[in-house]
Amino acid sequence: MTEATLEKLKILAAAAKYDVSCSSSGTVRRNDGKGVGNTVGGIGICHSFAADGRCISLLKIMLTNYCMYDCAYCINRRSNDIPRATLSVSEVVDITMEFYRRNYIEGLFLSSGVVRNPDYTMERIARIAKDLRLVHRFNGYIHLKSIPGASRELVNEAGRYADRMSVNIEIPSEQSLIYLAPDKDYKSIYKPMGYISQGVLQTQEDRKSMRHVPRFVPAGQSTQMIVGASADTDRDILLTTSSLYRIPTMRRVYYSGYVSVNTYDSRLPALKQPPLVRENRLYQADWLMRFYQFRAEEIADESNPNLDLEVDPKLGWALRHPEFFPVDVNRASYEMILRVPGIGVKSAALIVNARRFRHLNSSHLSKIGVAMKRAKYFITCGELAVVSIADSSPEFVRCQLTARKDKGVSHLQLSFDFT
């Protein structure tokens, strides 16, 4: 690798760090002896950990950080005076293969600024994936960023060689998007999403009648929203997330706390640090919608449009709805048990199965894995002496669960004690 290429690689790797929508794949590409590498176990590859404890990573770069758009929240916006660089198609392919042969990476995540027009940029991204697969027989993981406004033909071309594709929606409401990024609109973002979804569904249908059908984005698609760059509430974000999950091939919606990279732009809020606690609460709310059968309207209602930063969204919902508690774990439905703070998906299933054979008490619940410190205020099993939320008040329960011994230290800030 030449000094010039290395310098470009440093610039473009740093420019790609703000995109977080690349941490899981859910696909398997086995080495058939004719190619290079394989994607093992269907795991995501983004500085993550496999089920067996292995740390796995990928080359995460931009093709170019030149961009024709002037989005207020983006470090690579057209009006910023920053170091710029562009890699050629052959340079990206060669770097990926050389890094893989040296066991530095297990895959590639490739995004890009938009140069000339969306189709010109998308064509180069698709060509990189095609060369890796067909010329170099690369079987590792490939995640490609689809460019908003790109044509169906180019999105389909890229989808034949990618494991996952993503189109970042960035801002949860179109009004805020147009205000912060006048060059973009929801139509240009949702169209590529639709192309990807149609391609995946068509491939799945074809595989029912034909034996050998080329795979098309087997790991589905993902997207990302920036948290804190606009005036949108958590309710707005979760409603948008809920609508995105109605797309059959949407696997994950990622949330990225806004980093104040363009402090001179008056359209942006003046944040001293990214809203990491709010970002974490949104991930927890996202989990509730995906696995706990909550609706976005329940997690953040009209009277409480923003999530409580002091407590997790599930506990926040329970404190706002004391009329549903206490829940009798020996009689209640699985869906209701799932809504009890301190009881997870696995614990709820174990409770429903175990109560068929015996009457459960607090000792049994602890062994099952229920976090009794929380759950005891919201359940009954015939022998708990703790005052429930129905016998006291939500304020009392909240005070008990949020009490901290270290009064002088904010529990919203991560700290380490090495003494």
Side-chain angles (χ1 to χ4, degrees):
M1 186 184 299
T2 64
E3 284 293 329
T5 303
L6 181 59
E7 186 61 30
K8 288 193 286 187
L9 184 60
K10 289 178 181 178
I11 293 172
L12 295 173
K17 67 183 179 182
Y18 298 102
D19 199 324
V20 300
S21 62
C22 59
S23 64
S24 62
S25 63
T27 184
V28 176
R29 287 182 183 270
R30 301 192 183 279
N31 195 331
D32 57 3
K34 300 177 182 179
V36 178
N38 57 272
T39 306
V40 183
I43 7 189
I45 307 171
C46 181
H47 307 293
S48 187
F49 290 91
D52 57 2
R54 293 180 304 111
C55 182
I56 46 185
S57 59
L58 82 169
L59 176 62
K60 182 179 179 184
I61 59 171
M62 296 184 72
L63 178 63
T64 178
N65 65 342
Y66 286 97
C67 192
M68 58 185 286
Y69 296 152
D70 200 34
C71 306
Y73 47 80
C74 183
I75 186 65
N76 301 310
R77 59 187 294 185
R78 182 181 65 240
S79 56
N80 272 357
D81 183 16
I82 59 172
R84 304 279 183 174
T86 300
L87 288 169
S88 67
V89 170
S90 60
E91 283 178 322
V92 175
V93 172
D94 291 342
I95 290 170
T96 303
M97 294 307 302
E98 292 301 321
F99 275 32
Y100 191 90
R101 291 190 179 102
R102 286 164 174 77
N103 202 28
Y104 295 162
I105 60 169
E106 294 183 68
L108 170 69
F109 173 84
L110 182 63
S111 60
S112 179
V114 183
V115 289
R116 296 193 184 180
N117 56 67
D119 279 352
Y120 174 81
T121 308
M122 193 69 221
E123 189 273 334
R124 299 180 72 200
I125 290 176
R127 190 144 48 95
I128 289 170
K130 184 176 182 179
D131 286 355
L132 283 170
R133 295 294 191 211
L134 301 185
V135 178
H136 296 272
R137 295 293 182 182
F138 179 67
N139 290 319
Y141 174 68
I142 297 179
H143 183 143
L144 300 179
K145 179 63 63 63
S146 181
I147 305 300
S151 65
R152 179 191 294 269
E153 292 76 18
L154 289 172
V155 172
N156 289 343
E157 176 75 6
R160 295 189 188 100
Y161 308 107
D163 292 295
R164 171 167 285 186
M165 295 183 69
S166 57
V167 190
N168 285 356
I169 194 169
E170 304 292 11
I171 303 298
S173 69
E174 187 168 22
Q175 181 180 358
S176 297
L177 178 68
I178 294 174
Y179 177 63
L180 296 175
D183 303 308
K184 294 182 179 179
D185 56 53
Y186 267 17
K187 183 179 180 181
S188 65
I189 295 172
Y190 277 102
K191 267 193 173 182
M193 285 186 182
Y195 299 154
I196 296 169
S197 181
Q198 292 166 17
V200 173
L201 296 176
Q202 184 62 51
T203 301
Q204 293 174 352
E205 189 65 28
D206 291 343
R207 290 176 71 91
K208 296 177 181 178
S209 56
M210 291 181 280
R211 186 171 183 179
H212 299 290
V213 177
R215 298 199 299 176
F216 186 93
V217 195
Q221 58 180 314
S222 60
T223 189
Q224 170 182 293
M225 278 190 279
I226 299 174
V227 178
S230 64
D232 298 293
T233 64
D234 294 337
R235 177 180 170 85
D236 297 327
I237 294 173
L238 292 176
L239 288 173
T240 302
T241 298
S242 179
S243 67
L244 288 169
Y245 279 137
R246 296 191 188 102
I247 300 174
T249 57
M250 184 62 67
R251 295 291 177 264
R252 286 295 304 274
V253 176
Y254 292 87
Y255 309 95
S256 177
Y258 171 65
V259 180
S260 296
V261 291
N262 300 321
T263 54
Y264 60 85
D265 197 316
S266 60
R267 292 173 293 175
L268 297 168
L271 300 179
K272 293 183 179 180
Q273 60 182 17
L276 298 181
V277 179
R278 184 183 177 193
E279 175 189 312
N280 181 55
R281 295 301 182 213
L282 285 167
Y283 273 114
Q284 292 174 326
D286 184 279
W287 204 261
L288 292 181
M289 291 192 293
R290 294 168 61 211
F291 300 106
Y292 286 78
Q293 304 178 15
F294 278 81
R295 292 180 292 108
E297 297 84 351
E298 297 177 293
I299 300 171
D301 53 34
E302 292 182 355
S303 57
N304 299 275
N306 288 308
L307 299 175
D308 193 333
L309 300 184
E310 291 284 339
V311 297
D312 66 82
K314 189 178 182 183
L315 178 57
W317 177 86
L319 292 174
R320 294 197 307 271
H321 297 88
E323 67 275 9
F324 289 101
F325 303 100
V327 172
D328 187 347
V329 295
N330 287 292
R331 296 177 179 273
S333 64
Y334 169 78
E335 291 74 20
M336 198 61 230
I337 293 174
L338 206 55
R339 293 186 171 232
V340 175
I343 298 182
V345 174
K346 291 183 179 179
S347 298
L350 289 172
I351 288 171
V352 172
N353 290 331
R355 71 187 185 185
R356 295 163 53 200
F357 305 100
R358 67 182 306 166
H359 187 86
L360 301 179
N361 57 37
S362 58
S363 175
H364 298 140
L365 296 178
S366 295
K367 292 178 180 178
I368 284 174
V370 174
M372 293 301 294
K373 183 178 179 180
R374 288 185 173 199
K376 62 186 179 181
Y377 297 104
F378 302 94
I379 63 174
T380 179
C381 52
E383 50 90 36
L384 289 177
V386 177
V387 178
S388 72
I389 190 172
D391 300 324
S392 55
S393 67
E395 292 75 19
F396 170 79
V397 174
R398 180 190 177 90
C399 182
Q400 293 296 310
L401 293 178
T402 58
R404 292 291 188 278
K405 293 182 181 180
D406 48 343
K407 298 292 185 182
V409 180
S410 173
H411 64 280
L412 298 182
Q413 182 64 40
L414 182 65
S415 61
F416 298 94
D417 184 7
F418 295 102
T419 56

